[in-house]
Amino acid sequence: MTHPLLRFAELASQDPDALAVIQGDHALGRADLIGRAGALAQGLSLASGARVLVQLPNSPDMMALVLAIWAQGGLPMFLSAKSPATHLDAIIARHAPAHVIDIAALEALPAGQASLDLPVLPGDADASVVFTSGSTGMPKGVVQKAATLTSGADRVARVMGYGPSERILVPVPFAHDYGWGQMLSCFIGGHTLILPSRDSLVDISRTISRDVPTVLAGVPSLFAGLLHGISDFENSQTDSLRIVSSTGSPFAPALYAALRTRLPDVRILRNFGLTETYRSCCLPPEMAQGEADSAGRPIEGVTIAIAGPDGRPLPADQEGEVVHLGAGVFDRYLDDPDATARSRRTCGDLGIGVFTGDIGRLDQDGFLHLAGRRDRLVKSMDIRLNLSDVEAALTALAMVTETAVIARPNPMSGVELVAFCTARPDITAPDIRRAANRALPAHMRPREITVLDALPRTPVGKTDYPALANWSASTQKETL
């Protein structure tokens, strides 16, 4: 399988002027991006195998930098530009990158363009390290081989129904595995990437009108912000859009319905996968009507199994841990063989797979139904529940737009539920409390409800549960 760098170089030789990336008034063709990579490579001077930690916001130069690192035999490692200093310090201490490229370091590299020498790069070479979001702890570095990345981008393009030359709007960070997948769509599929100039909902909405994307790749929190936040999305010219693709957190039914109302002629594809699996399942709109609560079916090349406590596959409709097998399985966690062995192991006679930590079941038709994370199962009033179910029930209330729920130790009852909600205008915590008391059974009712302007996010847009746990002790917001 061709290395992504060599695939992009081949695409550039076939059509050097084809647009690779647009950001505001800055546009680079394929040959321009190769030339920019050549100049950056001259400034890097990497030893073969050198680890380069990239901590940058999305930009054409970040894309060129990845090509430059590959061309010198280096290994790009991605950490969000919004990650806390504690994450950066821990990664540097543990993994010893040869270089850390942030905005200042990038600006110190050569400007302009130069030729790029293409080395021999085998498909089994380490090609990327993406650090997990750290939403439940310190991030782990997920290593993927070149062939896995090339295969993943090709397979996803077929699942999405991409044409030969899509224009993909990418408002998610390249440092997130989903954003990294979009960059690979350019390198491997030759699609044009459109990058917002600023990290704001208003700029994303304006970019849709100005740069006429055909694909919008996002996450549920982004779509919630576009629909319900200060975004001007209601005035965006969306006629060019034909595909919306989402992954990350679960897509609440009300949010999905609202997005379909705003974009009635657009195919909305919901996806499931981990950094460790590239992409696992997809639920296209033609399957969504009868399977609204499903994560979809496995994509091309993937097998999904449900494992019991002994690690062996379970029959259909039995609940257990979701295991991803086949294409997309990550190679290892960087410098962490123990964590690799816990996640990447044998599932009965099916072979090596990724034990995802998600709880779910496969129905008789092969659709995956998720019940939540293994680490979000608690007992409330001696009844087992998943905190994700409480979140879904609260978000289903008409007055609530988004919810996060944590479990807090209680010396009397063992555990109590604490909910953080964003709400429609003029809605208060007592309003939500009264509605929740009517709609939810006693064991699912939060002991405490806090109304926030917005939920805290990790650098890649997921709910920051550790921040909420710290916040619950001394919130300054309206609390009941």
Side-chain angles (χ1 to χ4, degrees):
M1 187 69 69
T2 306
H3 191 287
L5 171 60
L6 303 182
R7 174 74 72 88
F8 187 68
E10 181 182 357
L11 291 169
S13 67
Q14 292 170 357
D15 191 349
D17 296 327
L19 275 178
V21 58
I22 304 167
Q23 188 171 46
D25 295 330
H26 189 197
L28 289 180
R30 294 171 184 171
D32 295 328
L33 196 60
I34 292 280
R36 183 72 191 110
L40 293 173
Q42 291 181 356
L44 285 174
S45 299
L46 300 178
S48 179
R51 298 172 175 181
V52 181
L53 184 60
V54 178
Q55 192 178 29
L56 293 167
N58 291 5
S59 70
D61 263 9
M62 181 179 177
M63 297 173 64
L65 178 66
V66 173
L67 298 175
I69 294 169
W70 279 335
Q72 295 206 330
L75 177 62
M77 309 194 305
F78 299 106
L79 181 66
S80 171
K82 297 181 180 179
S83 290
T86 52
H87 287 186
L88 175 62
D89 292 343
I91 289 168
I92 292 174
R94 181 164 191 176
H95 303 299
H99 297 274
V100 177
I101 307 295
D102 55 13
I103 292 176
L106 181 65
E107 290 176 346
L109 292 173
Q113 305 234 333
S115 62
L116 182 69
D117 295 329
L118 297 177
V120 175
L121 293 169
D124 63 356
D126 291 346
S128 70
V129 178
V130 175
F131 285 94
T132 58
S133 63
S135 57
T136 58
M138 294 303 293
K140 299 189 291 289
V142 177
V143 181
Q144 291 281 23
K145 297 291 188 180
T148 303
L149 299 180
T150 301
S151 167
D154 282 338
R155 290 181 296 109
V156 166
R158 290 191 287 269
V159 170
M160 296 291 103
Y162 284 175
S165 184
E166 301 289 355
R167 295 168 63 91
I168 306 174
L169 176 57
V170 189
V172 292
F174 286 147
H176 179 218
D177 65 298
Y178 192 50
W180 174 223
Q182 308 315 313
M183 192 192 299
L184 290 167
S185 292
C186 173
F187 292 160
I188 295 166
H191 303 294
T192 302
L193 301 191
I194 300 170
L195 311 179
S197 298
R198 292 181 295 278
D199 185 15
S200 78
L201 295 171
V202 170
D203 192 63
I204 293 168
S205 298
R206 292 173 179 170
T207 301
I208 294 172
S209 299
R210 181 184 64 239
D211 293 323
V212 292
T214 59
V215 179
L216 170 57
V219 294
S221 60
L222 171 75
F223 299 126
L226 289 173
L227 290 166
H228 304 303
I230 301 174
S231 69
D232 202 36
F233 184 53
E234 67 273 14
N235 295 316
S236 294
Q237 299 299 314
T238 58
D239 293 347
S240 64
L241 283 174
R242 65 183 200 89
I243 296 173
V244 166
S245 178
S246 176
T247 191
S249 304
F251 213 125
L255 177 60
Y256 179 73
L259 191 60
R260 282 197 60 81
T261 299
R262 175 64 183 85
L263 302 171
D265 299 321
V266 174
R267 297 186 77 235
I268 302 174
L269 297 103
R270 290 175 279 179
N271 300 279
F272 166 71
L274 279 68
T275 307
E276 293 87 341
T277 66
Y278 201 93
R279 191 76 56 83
S280 298
C281 295
C282 179
L283 185 67
E286 55 270 21
M287 294 182 182
Q289 292 187 2
E291 299 286 346
D293 65 339
S294 168
R297 282 176 167 159
I299 72 166
E300 173 191 331
V302 173
T303 297
I304 295 294
I306 305 298
D310 61 357
R312 299 187 65 81
L314 294 171
D317 288 323
Q318 289 197 26
E319 190 174 277
E321 184 170 358
V322 179
V323 182
H324 172 115
L325 302 108
V329 171
F330 78 118
D331 185 71
R332 67 191 186 279
Y333 291 119
L334 189 67
D335 301 326
D336 198 341
D338 292 340
T340 302
R342 288 192 297 270
S343 177
R344 193 180 186 276
R345 50 196 170 94
T346 300
C347 181
D349 297 329
L350 298 178
I352 296 291
V354 179
F355 282 68
T356 65
D358 289 290
I359 302 300
R361 63 178 178 86
L362 284 171
D363 67 21
Q364 297 289 342
D365 295 320
F367 287 90
L368 175 64
H369 300 262
L370 296 171
R373 293 288 298 172
R374 183 178 57 197
D375 51 15
R376 302 208 75 213
L377 296 173
V378 301
K379 273 195 171 183
S380 174
M381 300 174 65
D382 291 320
I383 299 175
R384 180 175 176 266
L385 62 78
N386 197 296
L387 298 178
S388 299
D389 293 336
V390 183
E391 292 175 347
L394 289 171
T395 305
L397 301 175
M399 61 187 64
V400 176
T401 56
E402 198 171 11
T403 308
V405 177
I406 62 172
R408 183 170 62 189
N410 182 291
M412 297 298 292
S413 62
V415 70
E416 62 186 16
L417 306 183
V418 180
F420 298 84
C421 302
T422 61
R424 302 195 182 281
D426 302 323
I427 296 297
T428 65
D431 295 330
I432 299 172
R433 164 72 69 197
R434 286 189 289 271
N437 287 345
R438 290 192 297 267
L440 275 62
H443 72 281
M444 293 181 68
R445 295 172 191 164
R447 173 71 178 270
E448 183 178 290
I449 296 175
T450 301
V451 174
L452 303 175
D453 294 333
L455 297 180
R457 301 288 179 188
T458 67
V460 298
K462 295 183 179 180
T463 301
D464 192 338
Y465 288 103
L468 291 175
N470 294 332
W471 202 349
S472 68
S474 58
T475 180
Q476 300 297 312
K477 301 290 183 178
E478 180 187 7
T479 303
L480 181 64

